[in-house]
Amino acid sequence: MTQTITTKLADSQLKFWKENSYVHIPGLFKDRVDQMSGWIDEISTWKPSMDQWMCYYEMDNPEQLSRIENFIPYHAGMKEIFTGDTIVSLISELMNEQAVLYKERINFKSPGGGPHAAHQDGVAYEQGENAAFDPNINPYLSILISIDEATEENGCLQVVPDWPIDNLEILPMEAPYPDRPDYMKIKQSLEDRLTWKKLPTQPGDALIFTERLPHRSEPNLSDKTRRIIYGVYNPLSVGDKRKKYYQDKRKNPNDPRYMVGNPHAPSE
Ligand SMILES: O=C(O)CCC(=O)C(=O)O
């Protein structure tokens, strides 16, 4: 029997959320993180696949698994985590409307690997072609759950603080490597002018952030893999977007849209 955790955010957390576009919820899944860790070990032994769950490999090391997506249709426990009341009610509270799961992934940041260049997630979702985020659509929200400890050394998430939730800017991007024109990130000159805050997390901690928040992470300089899981939720008022997202992605997993800040080796 699984246990539902009901969390109501304090007024101070809601205020912080509106002013920063992210909130840290320490220990949200501390009672379940060992179980989830075992499930991830299990999922990481599944055969390489792009037509069921979807496996991606490090850009500079195509043998090294970097990410698995779309695994909840094949794993009841993980499905319950990502679609259960604990997360969905929390995300819906922050979204101000009913939220629905858009997609999920496990990021395996292996030693030496896994940097994520500065980006805003929304550029890879529905609003990537816009000049700015649409003020009439509540932002898609991500929840990060730390399975392992995420530290400065192993490349924890970094965000731009004081980024209010109603900031609609889509920051200019560039392709930093001439031989990888499909791989885009926030312009270096702009990234260098922004302030970045490192957000270390303990196993079981959660961080929720909007698709508008610029973020990045550095490579893992430790000798152990650092695992984090992410769920992304969209407002139900725009429809249930999951099926179309994965259909499109399967047609062309190498589309530049899926490389924003997040390069991977070419997928078949
Ligand atoms: O897991 C990380 O280090 C950062 C991940 C990230 O930025 C992303 O997947 O969009």
Side-chain angles (χ1 to χ4, degrees):
M1 179 83 179
T2 51
Q3 183 200 348
T4 298
I5 310 155
T6 40
T7 305
K8 277 265 159 220
L9 295 172
D11 287 349
S12 56
Q13 284 173 305
L14 292 171
K15 181 169 182 294
F16 186 91
W17 167 253
K18 288 195 181 116
E19 291 170 352
N20 292 275
S21 302
Y22 75 91
V23 61
H24 184 178
I25 309 172
L28 181 68
F29 280 104
K30 71 175 184 322
D31 296 341
R32 300 204 60 188
V33 69
D34 288 346
Q35 184 182 36
M36 287 193 265
S37 174
W39 289 340
I40 293 171
D41 288 344
E42 197 184 297
I43 293 170
S44 66
T45 67
W46 291 355
K47 69 172 173 51
S49 156
M50 278 307 267
D51 56 349
Q52 294 168 291
W53 50 92
M54 299 168 82
C55 300
Y56 298 86
Y57 297 84
E58 294 271 342
M59 177 169 76
D60 299 328
N61 184 2
E63 301 294 305
Q64 182 65 55
L65 183 65
S66 77
R67 190 161 96 235
I68 300 184
E69 290 188 12
N70 189 42
F71 48 88
I72 65 151
Y74 311 97
H75 197 286
M78 280 298 199
K79 181 171 182 181
E80 188 267 324
I81 295 285
F82 282 105
T83 60
D85 199 46
T86 302
I87 295 184
V88 175
S89 63
L90 198 51
I91 295 275
S92 301
E93 181 188 355
L94 290 171
M95 203 180 262
N96 295 316
E97 63 166 292
Q98 184 62 47
V100 60
L101 183 65
Y102 180 52
K103 57 183 202 136
E104 72 285 344
R105 64 186 177 281
I106 304 167
N107 281 4
F108 299 90
K109 192 178 264 202
S110 51
H116 290 256
H119 65 285
Q120 291 166 293
D121 284 340
V123 176
Y125 305 160
E126 313 292 318
Q127 297 197 46
E129 305 290 301
N130 295 9
F133 287 106
D134 184 339
N136 299 311
I137 300 177
N138 285 321
Y140 289 24
L141 303 186
S142 285
I143 185 164
L144 166 166
I145 303 169
S146 213
I147 301 300
D148 301 309
E149 187 183 19
T151 62
E152 291 196 18
E153 189 192 15
N154 71 16
C156 64
L157 197 75
Q158 302 182 21
V159 301
V160 176
D162 301 316
W163 193 270
I165 203 147
D166 55 3
N167 184 337
L168 301 172
E169 269 176 280
I170 293 186
L171 300 176
M173 313 250 291
E174 67 187 4
Y177 304 115
D179 58 336
R180 290 296 307 267
D182 52 344
Y183 165 44
M184 304 287 285
K185 65 175 284 295
I186 291 172
K187 273 193 164 174
Q188 194 61 45
S189 53
L190 181 57
E191 179 181 354
D192 292 344
R193 289 203 304 275
L194 292 167
T195 301
W196 294 91
K197 185 172 162 63
K198 294 181 174 160
L199 300 177
T201 45
Q202 291 296 314
D205 283 8
L207 277 172
I208 302 180
F209 55 99
T210 76
E211 63 173 327
R212 300 173 184 167
L213 179 69
H215 61 280
R216 68 180 185 188
S217 72
E218 285 169 5
N220 180 355
L221 301 180
S222 80
D223 56 7
K224 284 201 209 79
T225 295
R226 182 232 67 183
R227 299 159 308 158
I228 281 183
I229 58 177
Y230 292 86
V232 184
Y233 295 78
N234 72 258
L236 190 54
S237 58
V238 299
D240 186 339
K241 300 279 184 178
R242 179 186 179 90
K243 196 166 163 210
K244 170 131 183 20
Y245 177 81
Y246 282 120
Q247 262 170 1
D248 288 350
K249 198 168 198 174
R250 282 213 169 91
K251 275 188 219 144
N252 185 8
N254 301 314
D255 188 294
R257 164 181 177 210
Y258 306 122
M259 302 269 187
V260 172
N262 201 358
H264 53 78
S267 300
E268 315 261 297

